[in-house]
Amino acid sequence: MCSPEHFAVEYAINPWMDVTAPVDAELAVKQWDRLRETLVGLGHEVHLLTPERGLPDMVYAANGAFVVDGTAYGAQFKHDQRAAEAAAHRAFYEAQGWRFIAPSETNEGEGDFAYLPEAHGGLILAGHGFRTELPAHAEAQEALGRPVVSLRLVDPRFYHLDVALASIDDTNIVYYPGAFSAASQRVLTQLFPDAVVADDEDALTFGLNLVSDGLNVVLNSEASRLAGKLKAAGYHPVPVELAELKKGGGSVKCCIAELRH
């Protein structure tokens, strides 16, 4: 995770960003702190990336790389405003002694990649259509040695996979069908017949931008309907308030890069 001490909406690179809407930086830090404390309270170890002035979106740490089995496939951001974040993430992973693979294709890390280690023998779901380019899916497959299923995003409000779909345990997902092309919807139905299916309200409150440890599902507090669906499916919803960070187009998952040893 990376503190939002420099967070601001200084440009608009997704439909949620409004440069005229004021951001309460102090409140953003408090809400982020509560998210970090929630993860620690659930028994997880949180590593911190040092925020850099001039990179207001560094708080969205999920976008810097995608990690599977101790190998980090690095990001190459689509927009110039975020390009310098990639070097900071690479330095972090290399300092930790992780194997790091530099990309040659445009991709935005866990923003567009999700991993299910026990689904179909270990499966990567990968989004494209707005940020990550399709050739990056093949590059990630070669880098990480796991089969990649490409899913086309068609609604600009759901510009990353992680605002439309999330893994909720090692074999299953929750997703919003409307974010995907008809063909990709059919693929998801075939692969995950028991998935939790979200509706418009769930998706538009950033409910899909969540993290799960297989039991506890940490999600935006506004997504109360989705929390009910997850509870009915046997999970334990853990709501957190992230209203300030939503102004940049992200919520819980965007703030968390999962380190898979």
Side-chain angles (χ1 to χ4, degrees):
M1 297 180 70
C2 182
S3 170
E5 61 185 75
H6 302 307
F7 175 66
V9 179
E10 298 176 351
Y11 45 78
I13 57 174
N14 68 59
W16 304 97
M17 300 177 88
D18 180 357
V19 296
T20 67
V23 171
D24 186 332
E26 184 178 346
L27 180 57
V29 172
K30 287 181 179 178
Q31 291 176 346
W32 176 88
D33 271 332
R34 176 62 62 176
L35 173 60
R36 181 183 55 81
E37 291 165 1
T38 297
L39 295 173
V40 172
L42 291 171
H44 302 291
E45 182 181 2
V46 177
H47 297 257
L48 297 178
L49 185 65
T50 303
E52 297 182 15
R53 194 175 300 277
L55 296 175
D57 282 344
M58 272 190 76
V59 62
Y60 303 124
N63 302 150
F66 175 54
V67 183
V68 172
D69 293 339
T71 296
Y73 171 57
Q76 181 171 293
F77 288 86
K78 179 178 178 68
H79 295 288
D80 291 342
Q81 293 95 329
R82 298 195 65 185
E85 294 177 40
H89 284 273
R90 178 172 186 165
F92 168 83
Y93 286 104
E94 290 181 339
Q96 298 289 323
W98 292 64
R99 179 174 177 241
F100 185 90
I101 296 178
S104 59
E105 304 291 347
T106 299
N107 83 90
E108 299 199 345
E110 281 198 315
D112 274 321
F113 290 105
Y115 184 51
L116 292 103
E118 294 180 18
H120 307 279
L123 193 66
I124 294 170
L125 302 179
H128 68 100
F130 297 102
R131 297 292 185 86
T132 295
E133 299 290 341
L134 193 55
H137 295 184
E139 186 174 62
Q141 180 168 276
E142 288 300 310
L144 301 170
R146 293 289 183 275
V148 173
V149 174
S150 296
L151 302 167
R152 186 161 71 91
L153 298 163
V154 295
D155 186 330
R157 295 172 299 177
F158 307 104
Y159 59 95
H160 271 158
L161 183 72
D162 71 0
V163 291
L165 177 151
S167 61
I168 44 177
D169 57 35
D170 288 347
T171 62
N172 206 9
I173 63 169
V174 56
Y175 73 103
Y176 170 56
F180 299 93
S181 69
S184 293
Q185 290 181 41
R186 290 195 296 271
V187 169
L188 288 169
T189 300
Q190 291 174 51
L191 289 175
F192 303 100
D194 299 321
V196 176
V197 178
D199 61 22
D200 295 41
E201 181 179 323
D202 300 327
L204 293 172
T205 54
F206 278 79
L208 282 302
N209 196 240
L210 58 80
V211 294
S212 174
D213 59 16
L215 172 61
N216 303 293
V217 182
V218 184
L219 77 168
N220 195 293
S221 59
E222 293 179 47
S224 55
R225 279 169 55 95
L226 183 58
K229 294 173 186 176
L230 290 164
K231 187 172 183 179
Y235 300 91
H236 176 230
V238 182
V240 292
E241 172 61 56
L242 281 180
E244 289 307 299
L245 293 172
K246 271 183 61 183
K247 294 176 180 177
S251 188
V252 174
K253 175 57 196 169
C254 286
C255 293
I256 299 165
E258 296 179 54
L259 306 178
R260 303 177 184 88
H261 288 285

